[in-house]
Every structure is written in C-alpha cells, then in structure tokens.
Amino acid sequence: FPVTICPSHIFKPSPDSSTLLNEQSTLEPLSAYAQSKVLGKFLCERYRREFGIFASCGILFNHESEFRSEHFLSKKIVRGLLKQKFEKGPSVEIADLTAIFDMGWAEDFVRAMWLILQHSSADDYVIATSTPHTTRDFAETACKILGLNVNTAVTQSAQKLKRAAKMRIGDTTKIRHALNWMPQTSFEDMISKLIKKEIESLGYANA
C-alpha cells in the first residue's frame, strides 16, 4: 500500500475558519469509517518506521468532481438550479447555508497523490485548498454562472438539518514546500465544470 487515503474527518474540527489542520493536528474520528482510516494511517506509520516500507498517507479534505452521486450536496444544488433555470423548477432547499467547507477539485488532489508517489521518501500530507467557503458561497457562485438570483433560487430549510456540519480547513504548508503542489482549479472554475457536466448529463445542452 504505497499510499493510503484518509478523509479530513479523522481530525478534531477547526474551532474557527482561521485555524488550519495539519499533519500533526489532534485526531478525533467520530464515525466507524473515520476510525478505520485512522487505523490505516497508523499502519502506514508503523510499516514505514519499523520496516522501511514506502508507505505514505494522503489526508484529503473535501474534493468535488463530475462523478459525484446525487446524494452529495454539490450535485443537489447544481441539479436543482439547472431544473429551475430550464424547467421552471422550485427553489433549492438547503439545510444550512452557513456551513463552512474546505472544498477543492478532485483532479488537483489526484495530482497531489501522484506527486507523493514520486517523492524520494514516504510521509503524510494534508491535501486541501486552505480556503474556507460556505454553502451559500457555492450556491451564489452557481447562480451567478447560470444567471439566477440566489435570494429566490435558494432557500434555507432548517427542518432538513439532521446534524450541524463540522468545519475542517486544511493546512497545505507541508505539501506545498515538499512537493511544490498547489491546487490549480479555482472555486469558481470548479463549480463551472460541475455545471457544464450536469448540463450535458441532463440534456440541457441545446436548450
């Protein structure tokens, strides 16, 4: 296992958007999934230390792509706004517009993982953008691209909120210095790519 992948959920949440999480931040895996990933991380560290095996760990914060399934929030927002624009659909209901995420583009993250594999020595790296964005930021950007008014296109529906989102913002200092990696896709370009793909998938290209 030259590289094992962990989610940012292995960390204790950031107390505020200016507190960045790095490779040494406190672990607090609350789900069985996150706990299993922490075990994988510990195994990487052990085999690297005791047996000299090339075993790195990439700790990935939120990353979006065109291949997200429909239950992901980004896909729900984009699809809802497209249906509103092309089919006069209802406004998109979002549980919490103030939730804050560190959200990047999956293609950039894959490039980071490739660079980790090319490095002369194995290590652990946080892969993130280090830039906080709210759910409202995402919706506003998507509305701007589509020519919609976010104040009428999107509504907050508190009754849909099952649990408050935990904020985790990554510190990419280590991977930037060691591997010269930085995300190349902006927040706006990422959303534009998602919209373009959904327009094609939903058959709106000629609308």
Side-chain angles (χ1 to χ4, degrees), residues 84-101:
Q84 191 174 150
K85 180 178 178 66
F86 292 105
E87 300 180 21
K88 307 298 183 184
S91 65
V92 180
E93 293 188 346
I94 299 174
D96 184 6
L97 287 167
T98 64
I100 298 175
F101 302 94

Side-chain angles (χ1 to χ4, degrees), residues 105 141 145 184-195:
W105 185 239
T141 302
I145 292 169
Q184 296 179 340
T185 307
S186 69
F187 184 70
E188 293 76 15
D189 287 345
M190 176 189 74
I191 296 173
S192 181
K193 290 173 184 284
L194 294 174
I195 290 172

Side-chain angles (χ1 to χ4, degrees), residues 39-71:
L39 176 59
K41 182 178 184 298
F42 287 160
L43 286 172
C44 269
E45 292 170 356
R46 180 187 174 192
Y47 277 79
R48 189 167 63 219
R49 180 179 63 252
E50 296 185 14
F51 304 104
I53 290 176
F54 189 102
S56 293
C57 179
I59 306 168
L60 277 61
F61 283 64
N62 293 71
H63 45 288
E64 299 296 326
S65 86
E66 305 103 321
F67 306 107
R68 283 288 204 194
S69 62
E70 292 185 24
H71 70 272

Side-chain angles (χ1 to χ4, degrees), residues 143-155:
C143 283
K144 183 177 180 181
I145 292 169
L146 292 170
L148 297 172
N149 183 342
V150 68
N151 294 318
T152 55
V154 175
T155 57

Side-chain angles (χ1 to χ4, degrees), residues 10 12 19 24 30-31 41 59 67 69 74 77 80 85 102 105 125 146 152 154 158 166-167 174 176 191 202:
I10 66 172
K12 183 178 181 178
T19 302
Q24 304 304 318
L30 299 179
S31 67
K41 182 178 184 298
I59 306 168
F67 306 107
S69 62
S74 56
I77 294 174
K85 180 178 178 66
D102 182 335
W105 185 239
Y125 297 95
L146 292 170
T152 55
V154 175
K166 304 294 186 181
M167 177 173 55
K174 183 175 180 179
R176 283 191 286 112
I191 296 173
L202 297 174

Side-chain angles (χ1 to χ4, degrees), residues 9 24 26 35 75 79 87 92 99 182:
H9 297 89
Q24 304 304 318
T26 302
Q35 290 163 3
K75 176 84 79 168
R79 285 204 164 189
E87 300 180 21
V92 180
M182 289 184 67

